[in-house]
Amino acid sequence: MQFNRVIFAGKRATCREPMAMALLSNEPLWRPIEVLARGIVVLFPEPMNQKAEAVLAGRGIRLPDYKSSLLEPSDFTEDTLVLTFDEEIRQKVLEMEGAKNVYVLTDVTGDELEIIDPYGGEIIQYGICLETMSNSIRKLAEILNENILFEGLPN
């Protein structure tokens, strides 16, 4: 399966999801892949968390016009990969109408370290989250570039 779109899905899509979107968008991909962030509980569009924005800016990455948006059944297509950061959110996404190709990021990349949710913590926690996530996103880019199938992963 070749994925032409990757959606990072989480609860509100104001922290880890836009950070992951920005990181993957800045990785060298061999073909055009649309990268998005979506939330499963988005009542109205919100900007990215200020601390998440600050740690990204420290790497020279900016998403000035970012606003959270709701994950919709229309987001699930054959060529869309939906990635969550934990099994709980993955299960909630799988309950949605039409859900397919939904995985936990670290299951796809084979990483053992969970990407913690820094929401509400100190800026150092956001920095640690970004560093941990960067490694997983780099591996994800390699997987997407090599077009490796996601065999053996629960879906």
Side-chain angles (χ1 to χ4, degrees):
M1 169 64 63
Q2 180 168 295
F3 295 108
N4 296 313
R5 183 165 63 153
V6 174
I7 297 175
F8 292 99
K11 193 168 188 177
R12 295 184 12 234
T14 59
C15 188
R16 290 181 293 182
E17 300 76 22
M19 287 196 301
M21 179 183 85
L23 289 171
L24 185 57
S25 296
N26 281 281
E27 284 292 319
L29 297 171
W30 296 351
R31 59 190 165 76
I33 296 177
E34 183 181 16
V35 185
L36 304 167
R38 296 279 192 266
I40 59 172
V41 185
V42 178
L43 303 177
F44 54 88
E46 291 184 69
M48 187 182 344
N49 176 287
Q50 290 178 334
K51 292 176 184 174
E53 197 171 20
V55 295
L56 276 176
R59 286 192 168 202
I61 301 172
R62 301 199 187 284
L63 294 173
D65 300 323
Y66 179 81
K67 296 280 187 225
S68 63
S69 58
L70 186 65
L71 182 65
E72 303 274 358
S74 60
D75 285 321
F76 301 108
T77 62
E78 289 300 323
D79 68 341
T80 299
L81 173 62
V82 179
L83 296 171
T84 67
F85 294 99
D86 58 57
E87 187 61 31
E88 179 185 353
I89 296 295
R90 179 180 174 270
Q91 288 303 320
K92 288 181 179 177
V93 170
L94 284 171
E95 293 171 7
M96 296 178 67
E97 179 186 332
K100 61 180 141 238
N101 303 324
V102 182
Y103 301 96
V104 175
L105 173 63
T106 51
D107 288 345
V108 170
T109 60
D111 292 317
E112 292 180 19
L113 282 180
E114 182 181 330
I115 299 170
I116 56 138
D117 185 358
Y119 187 78
E122 299 297 321
I123 193 138
I124 188 85
Q125 292 166 300
Y126 286 80
I128 292 168
C129 175
L130 184 66
E131 284 306 311
T132 306
M133 187 185 297
S134 293
N135 293 328
S136 294
I137 295 295
R138 204 168 297 117
K139 290 178 187 177
L140 175 63
E142 291 171 12
I143 290 167
L144 292 168
N145 284 337
E146 297 295 331
N147 202 28
I148 297 170
L149 297 178
F150 293 71
E151 295 173 7
L153 290 175
N155 194 11

